[in-house]
Coordinates of all heavy atoms in Angstrom, one line a residue:
F182 N -5.4 71.8 -56.2 CA -5.5 72.0 -57.6 C -4.1 71.9 -58.3 O -4.0 71.9 -59.5 CB -6.0 73.4 -57.9 CG -7.4 73.6 -57.4 CD1 -7.7 74.3 -56.2 CD2 -8.5 73.2 -58.2 CE1 -9.0 74.4 -55.8 CE2 -9.8 73.3 -57.7 CZ -10.1 74.0 -56.5
V183 N -3.1 71.6 -57.4 CA -1.7 71.3 -58.0 C -1.3 70.0 -57.5 O -2.1 69.2 -57.1 CB -0.7 72.4 -57.6 CG1 -1.1 73.7 -58.4 CG2 -0.7 72.7 -56.2
D184 N 0.0 69.7 -57.5 CA 0.5 68.3 -57.1 C 0.7 68.2 -55.6 O 1.1 67.1 -55.2 CB 1.8 68.1 -57.9 CG 1.6 67.8 -59.4 OD1 0.4 67.7 -59.8 OD2 2.6 67.9 -60.1
A185 N 0.6 69.2 -54.8 CA 0.9 69.2 -53.4 C 0.4 68.0 -52.7 O 1.1 67.3 -51.9 CB 0.5 70.4 -52.7
P186 N -0.9 67.6 -52.9 CA -1.4 66.4 -52.1 C -0.8 65.1 -52.5 O -1.0 64.1 -51.8 CB -2.9 66.4 -52.4 CG -3.2 67.8 -52.9 CD -1.9 68.2 -53.6
L187 N -0.1 65.1 -53.6 CA 0.5 63.9 -54.1 C 2.0 63.7 -53.7 O 2.6 62.7 -54.1 CB 0.3 63.8 -55.6 CG -1.1 64.0 -56.1 CD1 -1.0 64.0 -57.8 CD2 -2.0 62.9 -55.7
W188 N 2.5 64.7 -53.1 CA 3.9 64.7 -52.7 C 4.2 63.6 -51.7 O 5.4 63.1 -51.7 CB 4.3 66.1 -52.1 CG 4.4 67.2 -53.1 CD1 4.4 67.1 -54.4 CD2 4.4 68.6 -52.8 NE1 4.4 68.4 -55.0 CE2 4.4 69.3 -54.0 CE3 4.3 69.3 -51.6 CZ2 4.4 70.6 -54.0 CZ3 4.4 70.7 -51.6 CH2 4.4 71.3 -52.8
A189 N 3.3 63.3 -50.8 CA 3.5 62.3 -49.8 C 2.2 61.7 -49.4 O 1.1 62.2 -49.8 CB 4.2 63.0 -48.6
P190 N 2.2 60.6 -48.6 CA 0.9 60.0 -48.2 C 0.0 60.9 -47.4 O 0.5 61.9 -46.8 CB 1.3 58.8 -47.3 CG 2.8 58.6 -47.8 CD 3.3 59.8 -48.1
P191 N -1.3 60.7 -47.4 CA -2.2 61.6 -46.7 C -1.8 61.8 -45.2 O -2.1 62.9 -44.7 CB -3.6 60.9 -46.8 CG -3.4 60.0 -48.1 CD -2.0 59.6 -48.1
W192 N -1.3 60.8 -44.6 CA -1.0 60.9 -43.2 C 0.2 62.0 -42.9 O 0.3 62.5 -41.8 CB -0.6 59.6 -42.5 CG 0.6 58.9 -43.1 CD1 0.5 57.9 -44.1 CD2 1.9 59.0 -42.7 NE1 1.8 57.5 -44.4 CE2 2.7 58.2 -43.5 CE3 2.6 59.8 -41.7 CZ2 4.1 58.0 -43.4 CZ3 4.0 59.6 -41.6 CH2 4.7 58.8 -42.5
V193 N 0.9 62.3 -44.0 CA 1.9 63.4 -43.9 C 1.3 64.7 -44.3 O 1.4 65.7 -43.6 CB 3.1 63.0 -44.9 CG1 4.1 64.2 -44.9 CG2 3.8 61.7 -44.4
M194 N 0.5 64.7 -45.5 CA 0.1 66.0 -46.0 C -1.1 66.6 -45.2 O -1.2 67.8 -45.1 CB -0.4 65.7 -47.4 CG 0.7 65.3 -48.4 SD 2.2 66.4 -48.4 CE 1.5 67.9 -48.9
R195 N -1.9 65.7 -44.6 CA -3.1 66.3 -43.9 C -2.7 67.1 -42.6 O -3.1 68.2 -42.4 CB -4.1 65.3 -43.5 CG -4.9 64.7 -44.7 CD -5.6 65.7 -45.5 NE -6.4 66.5 -44.6 CZ -7.6 66.2 -44.0 NH1 -8.0 65.0 -44.2 NH2 -8.2 67.0 -43.2
P196 N -1.8 66.5 -41.8 CA -1.3 67.3 -40.6 C -0.5 68.6 -41.1 O -0.7 69.7 -40.5 CB -0.3 66.4 -39.9 CG -0.8 65.0 -40.3 CD -1.2 65.1 -41.7
L197 N 0.2 68.5 -42.2 CA 0.9 69.7 -42.7 C -0.1 70.8 -43.1 O 0.2 72.0 -42.9 CB 1.7 69.3 -43.9 CG 2.5 70.4 -44.7 CD1 3.5 71.0 -43.7 CD2 3.1 69.9 -45.9
S198 N -1.3 70.4 -43.5 CA -2.3 71.4 -44.0 C -2.9 72.2 -42.8 O -3.7 73.1 -43.1 CB -3.4 70.6 -44.7 OG -2.9 70.0 -45.9
K199 N -2.5 71.8 -41.6 CA -2.9 72.7 -40.5 C -2.1 74.0 -40.5 O -2.5 75.0 -39.9 CB -2.6 72.0 -39.2 CG -3.5 70.8 -38.9 CD -3.2 70.2 -37.6 CE -4.2 68.9 -37.4 NZ -3.8 68.3 -36.0
F200 N -1.0 74.0 -41.3 CA -0.1 75.2 -41.3 C -0.1 75.8 -42.7 O 0.0 77.0 -42.8 CB 1.3 74.7 -41.0 CG 1.5 74.0 -39.6 CD1 1.5 72.7 -39.6 CD2 1.5 74.8 -38.4 CE1 1.6 72.0 -38.4 CE2 1.6 74.1 -37.2 CZ 1.6 72.7 -37.2
I201 N -0.2 75.1 -43.8 CA -0.3 75.6 -45.1 C -1.5 74.8 -45.8 O -1.6 73.6 -45.5 CB 0.9 75.5 -45.9 CG1 1.4 74.0 -46.0 CG2 2.0 76.3 -45.3 CD1 2.5 73.8 -47.0
P202 N -2.2 75.4 -46.7 CA -3.4 74.7 -47.3 C -3.0 73.8 -48.4 O -3.3 74.0 -49.6 CB -4.2 75.9 -47.8 CG -3.3 76.9 -48.2 CD -2.2 76.8 -47.1
A203 N -2.2 72.7 -48.0 CA -1.7 71.8 -49.0 C -2.6 70.8 -49.5 O -2.7 70.4 -50.7 CB -0.4 71.2 -48.5
A204 N -3.4 70.2 -48.6 CA -4.3 69.1 -49.0 C -5.5 69.0 -48.1 O -5.4 68.9 -46.9 CB -3.5 67.8 -49.0
G205 N -6.7 69.1 -48.7 CA -7.9 68.9 -47.9 C -8.3 67.5 -47.8 O -7.6 66.6 -48.3
P206 N -9.5 67.2 -47.2 CA -9.9 65.8 -47.1 C -10.4 65.2 -48.3 O -10.5 64.0 -48.4 CB -11.1 65.9 -46.1 CG -11.6 67.4 -46.2 CD -10.3 68.2 -46.5
A207 N -10.6 65.9 -49.4 CA -11.0 65.3 -50.7 C -9.9 64.4 -51.2 O -8.7 64.7 -51.0 CB -11.3 66.4 -51.7

Side-chain angles (χ1 to χ4, degrees):
F182 296 100
V183 293
D184 290 348
L187 307 174
W188 290 342
W192 60 268
V193 174
M194 299 307 300
R195 290 303 311 285
L197 179 63
S198 296
K199 294 180 180 179
F200 305 97
I201 59 173

